[in-house]
Amino acid sequence: NAGVTQTPKFRVLKTGQSMTLLCAQDMNHEYMYWYRQDPGMGLRLIHYSVGEGTTAKGEVPDGYNVSRLKKQNFLLGLESAAPSQTSVYFCASSWALGPYEQYFGPGTRLTVT
Amino acid sequence: QQQVKQSPQSLIVQKGGISIINCAYENTAFDYFPWYQQFPGKGPALLIAIRPDVSEKKEGRFTISFNKSAKQFSLHIMDSQPGDSATYFCAASLGGGTSYGKLTFGQGTILTVHP
């Protein structure tokens, strides 16, 4: 089992460019999440999905969009990147909401210049 | 209030010492308190977790102490080893409502264990 994988690992964008981050999990989890990690701020939830075809906003959703067309994949899109979106992005998945372990991917380091 | 406040921001411990990281929360509706461990260049991984119906949980050298009345919980790492050097995050999730089950993370603590 690969667990949770993320592509790409690194990316540099210019302000205003767009990109999509891909997350894939092979654990048949219903729930998937996108977080961003910034120094001194922990991990903050951007968007999450409770199943194929459903998405919901998290704590910091502005400037991001997501899609979950297949159960195993969760895409995070930046339509017009801004320097404030420079961060490390983590995808996670879990069997259910609540007191269940979230399994994290290795992260994508994004720099917006 | 769904904040979780974590301290210290960084911690240096000698090999064999005890590492202690503290977290405090305001929302009494939190009902699940996990700790995640993150090594450089990796994603966080669950280390240990506790529910509010117990005051302490121990797994090997790692112990969570939970004080419901003070709304605080802490991670104790006994006999700290250089391999424990990592960033540690506390977190909490709500037992109900529209934010049910989603984790709120603390700010993180960078632990360095010197040999």
Side-chain angles (χ1 to χ4, degrees):
Chain A
N1 280 357
V4 179
T5 58
Q6 293 182 233
T7 53
K9 287 186 169 53
F10 304 93
R11 185 73 186 267
V12 178
L13 286 179
K14 293 186 188 305
T15 298
Q17 288 184 321
S18 64
M19 77 164 294
T20 300
L21 282 67
L22 172 64
C23 175
Q25 54 95 3
D26 61 1
M27 296 173 282
N28 202 34
H29 286 165
E30 288 291 339
Y31 297 82
M32 296 187 74
Y33 316 82
W34 277 107
Y35 293 91
R36 59 177 291 171
Q37 181 179 8
D38 302 291
M41 302 189 74
L43 291 99
R44 293 180 292 168
L45 183 64
I46 304 170
H47 287 281
Y48 65 102
S49 168
V50 300
E52 184 178 317
T54 68
T55 63
K57 294 180 180 180
E59 182 185 352
V60 288
D62 294 342
Y64 306 95
N65 57 76
V66 288
S67 64
R68 183 121 181 251
L69 299 180
K70 294 182 179 180
K71 184 177 183 179
Q72 64 267 34
N73 295 336
F74 194 28
L75 278 62
L76 178 71
L78 287 73
E79 290 186 346
S80 179
S84 61
Q85 293 178 305
T86 293
S87 187
V88 181
Y89 292 86
F90 288 99
C91 176
S93 70
S94 66
W95 178 72
L97 283 177
Y100 300 99
E101 179 174 0
Q102 290 190 15
Y103 294 82
F104 283 80
T108 294
R109 182 173 294 276
L110 175 66
T111 302
V112 182
T113 61
Chain B
Q1 269 288 37
Q2 296 189 203
Q3 273 190 318
V4 177
K5 295 184 179 180
Q6 184 173 345
S7 62
Q9 189 173 356
S10 63
L11 180 62
I12 299 174
V13 174
Q14 293 297 317
K15 179 182 176 181
I18 302 173
S19 304
I20 301 174
I21 304 170
N22 301 298
C23 284
Y25 63 96
E26 288 295 323
N27 193 333
T28 55
F30 283 137
D31 78 340
Y32 173 62
F33 302 89
W35 284 89
Y36 279 78
Q37 180 188 53
Q38 182 183 30
F39 293 105
K42 305 291 186 182
L46 180 65
L47 182 63
I48 186 172
I50 198 168
R51 302 294 298 272
D53 52 347
V54 296
S55 60
E56 186 175 282
K57 183 174 182 180
K58 184 176 181 179
E59 290 184 1
R61 296 184 293 109
F62 300 91
T63 299
I64 299 179
S65 297
F66 186 81
N67 186 329
K68 191 173 182 178
S69 60
K71 292 185 284 186
Q72 294 176 347
F73 59 110
S74 59
L75 176 69
H76 295 237
I77 306 174
M78 310 300 288
D79 187 26
S80 298
Q81 299 296 313
D84 297 329
S85 297
T87 300
Y88 292 81
F89 293 97
C90 63
S93 70
L94 292 169
T98 56
S99 293
Y100 168 69
K102 295 189 291 292
L103 289 175
T104 297
F105 284 87
Q107 294 80 4
T109 296
I110 301 172
L111 171 66
T112 303
V113 182
H114 285 316

